[in-house]
Amino acid sequence: MTTIDISSNSPRVLKRLVQTMSKAEGWALIRLAAPLTGLALVNMAMSVTDTLMTASFGTEALAAVAVGSDFYSIIFYLAVGCIGGLAPLYAAAHAAGDMEKLARLRTAGAFVCAALALPLCAILWNTPMVLRGLGIDPTLVEAGTGYVRAMAVTLIPMLAVGVLRTRLTAIERPGVMLRITLCAVPLNAVFNYALMYGAFGLPALGVTGAGVSSLVVGLLTLAALTREVRRAGDGGLGRVAISDVFEIFRIGIPIGIATLAEVGLYLGATIYAASLSVTDAAVHSVVIRLAGVSYAFYFGVQQAAMTRMARTDPLPDRRREVMGTSMAVGVAVAVWLCLSIIAIASPLANFMLGTSTPSAVSMATFAIAILAVTELFGPAGASAAGLLRGLKVTRPVMAYSLFGNWVVSAPLVLLMTKVFEWGVVGIWIAMATGTIVYSALCILALWQRARADPG
C-alpha cells in the first residue's frame, strides 16, 4: 500500500482545506449527488420487486433466484467498475471542451463495453456448471437455470447502459438517468407479472420470466438513454485510439476490484450469517437491507466527488476547493445518517422482528446501532475515495478496500463468531471495523495528496 506520512504541517493543511470550502461548490456537489443517490435507491427498489414476486413461487424458487442473482452481481459490479475508468477521463475532457477527445473516449468506451460483455456473458451463461462445481444443490441449480441464462444476455445491454450512465454523470446530467430508471420500476413489475404468470396471453415462464423481464427493461432503458445522450449533444464516435482503451482499463480495473472486494464481503457475510442460526440470518437480513439504503448515499457522494474533482483537470487551482467542500459534505451526510439510523434502530427492529423472540429484537437493535457508528466514517471515506479516483489515483484505493474488507474484516468475522461466539453482532462489529480502517486510509491518502499539492 501507499506510504502515508502525517507531519506537523497537517493542522495547517486542514485549516487551508476548511478555508477553501465553497457554498457554490457545495450546491453543485449536492445537485449531482442527490439524483445519483436516488438512482441507487430506485435500483434497489427493482431488486426488491423481483424478490417479492419470485417469493410467490416458493422457497426453492426464491433461493434459486437469490443464488443466481448474487453470482450475476459479482460479475456485474466487477465489469461496471472497469467501465468506471471512463468517468474521470470523460469529465476532464468535457470540462476542457475537448470535443475531439470526447469523441475518441466515446469510441473507447464502446470498445471496453464490448471487450467485457461478450466473455462475461459466456461465463454467466455457464453459471449452472459453475454453481454445481461449487457444491450447490443440483435441484436448486436446475430451478434457476432459465433465470441465470436470461440474466447472462441481460448483461450486454446493462453494460452499455453503464457506459451511458458514466458519460451522463461525467457531464453532470444524472437527473436524466433518474427519471428513466423511475419509469423502469413499474415497467419491471408489469413485465414480471406478464412473463412470470402468463398474463395478457403470454406463456407463463415462472422465475425465468423475471430474467426475461430484466432483459426487456434493460433494452428499453438502453434505448431511452441513447436518445437522451443524443439530445444532450453527447453523441457521435471518433477515431479508435487503443491508448484510450488501455487508460480506461488502467483506471477502471482497480475500481472494479475495489467494488468487488466490498460487495464480495457483504455477500459472503449474508451466506455466513445463514450458516450460524435462523435468528442470526433474520437479524442480518434486516441490518443488511438498511446498510444497502445507507450505501446509496455513499454512492451518490462518491460519484459526485469523483466527477467534480475530475472536472478540475483544466483548472488545478480549484482542487483544494473541491477537496474541502466534498469532505465537508461527506461529514455532514455521515452525521445525518448516524443520527437517523440511531433514531430508527429500536422501532425498525420491533417492526421487522416483533413476532420473533425478544433476543432477536435486541440483537437487531444492537447490530443497527453498530451500523450507525459505522456511518460516522463511511461517507467521509467514500468522499475521499471519490476525490482520489477523480485524480486518477485508483490503485491505492483498491489496496485499501482489499485490506479493510479482507485483511481486517474477514478474519475478524471468524474471531468474533467462532472464538467470542457473538453471532451476527460479531459479524457487524467486524465489518464496521473494516469500513472504518478503509475510510481512514482513504482520508489519510487524500490528506497526503493535499499536502503535496502546491496550491
Side-chain angles (χ1 to χ4, degrees), residues 68-355:
S69 177
D70 284 353
F71 188 75
Y72 172 87
S73 295
I74 290 171
I75 300 297
F76 178 75
Y77 281 117
L78 177 63
V80 166
C82 293
I83 288 170
L86 174 65
L89 300 173
Y90 207 80
H94 185 265
D98 190 340
M99 298 303 168
E100 180 184 352
K101 187 170 184 180
L102 285 171
R104 284 202 340 256
L105 287 172
R106 285 193 284 269
T107 303
F111 266 78
V112 169
C113 180
L116 291 169
L118 297 178
L120 293 181
C121 175
I123 292 172
L124 284 171
W125 187 266
N126 289 290
T127 296
M129 181 179 67
V130 175
L131 294 178
R132 279 192 289 266
L134 293 173
I136 302 297
D137 186 335
T139 305
L140 210 61
V141 173
E142 183 64 27
T145 294
Y147 170 80
V148 296
R149 288 190 166 160
M151 292 304 295
V153 181
T154 302
L155 182 74
I156 297 174
M158 290 312 296
L159 290 187
V161 166
V163 172
L164 296 182
R165 283 179 173 173
T166 298
R167 284 164 45 184
L168 285 167
T169 301
I171 64 174
E172 300 188 310
R173 295 286 298 274
V176 171
M177 299 184 294
L178 179 57
R179 289 192 295 272
I180 290 173
T181 309
L182 279 170
C183 294
V185 174
L187 279 176
N188 182 58
V190 169
F191 284 123
N192 273 355
Y193 177 72
L195 294 166
M196 294 171 74
Y197 300 100
F200 312 122
L202 296 172
L205 301 178
V207 295
T208 300
V212 177
S213 172
S214 295
L215 174 59
V216 174
V217 172
L219 289 169
L220 291 174
T221 302
L222 177 60
L225 282 175
T226 300
R227 177 174 175 269
E228 289 299 329
V229 295
R230 287 175 177 168
R231 287 181 62 183
D234 193 51
L237 301 178
R239 65 182 178 85
V240 179
I242 299 301
S243 60
D244 291 331
V245 175
F246 285 154
E247 184 69 358
I248 291 172
F249 276 121
R250 184 190 70 79
I251 297 170
I253 287 175
I255 296 176
I257 294 173
T259 305
L260 187 59
E262 187 171 354
V263 171
L265 178 74
Y266 278 79
L267 290 176
T270 300
I271 296 169
Y272 184 68
S275 73
L276 298 177
S277 73
V278 174
T279 299
D280 285 301
V283 170
H284 183 78
S285 68
V286 173
V287 186
I288 199 74
R289 294 295 180 271
L290 186 56
V293 172
S294 65
Y295 183 78
F297 292 88
Y298 286 44
F299 174 80
V301 168
Q302 185 177 80
Q303 294 298 305
M306 178 177 69
T307 300
R308 295 299 298 171
M309 178 56 77
R311 293 180 68 83
T312 67
D313 195 58
L315 301 166
D317 58 317
R318 289 195 57 245
R319 284 179 182 165
R320 284 192 179 277
E321 178 186 352
V322 174
M323 282 185 189
T325 306
S326 296
M327 292 306 297
V329 170
V331 170
V333 170
V335 173
W336 176 77
L337 280 174
C338 177
L339 295 177
S340 299
I341 291 173
I342 288 174
I344 66 171
S346 180
L348 180 65
N350 277 283
F351 175 75
M352 298 296 291
L353 301 169
T355 57

Side-chain angles (χ1 to χ4, degrees), residues 265-266 269 370 374 404-417 422-437:
L265 178 74
Y266 278 79
I370 293 167
T374 311
N405 288 298
W406 291 99
V407 178
V408 176
S409 285
L412 270 179
V413 166
L414 296 177
L415 178 67
M416 293 290 180
T417 55
W422 287 355
V424 70
V425 171
I427 290 176
W428 280 95
I429 290 173
M431 293 200 296
T433 304
T435 298
I436 292 169
V437 169

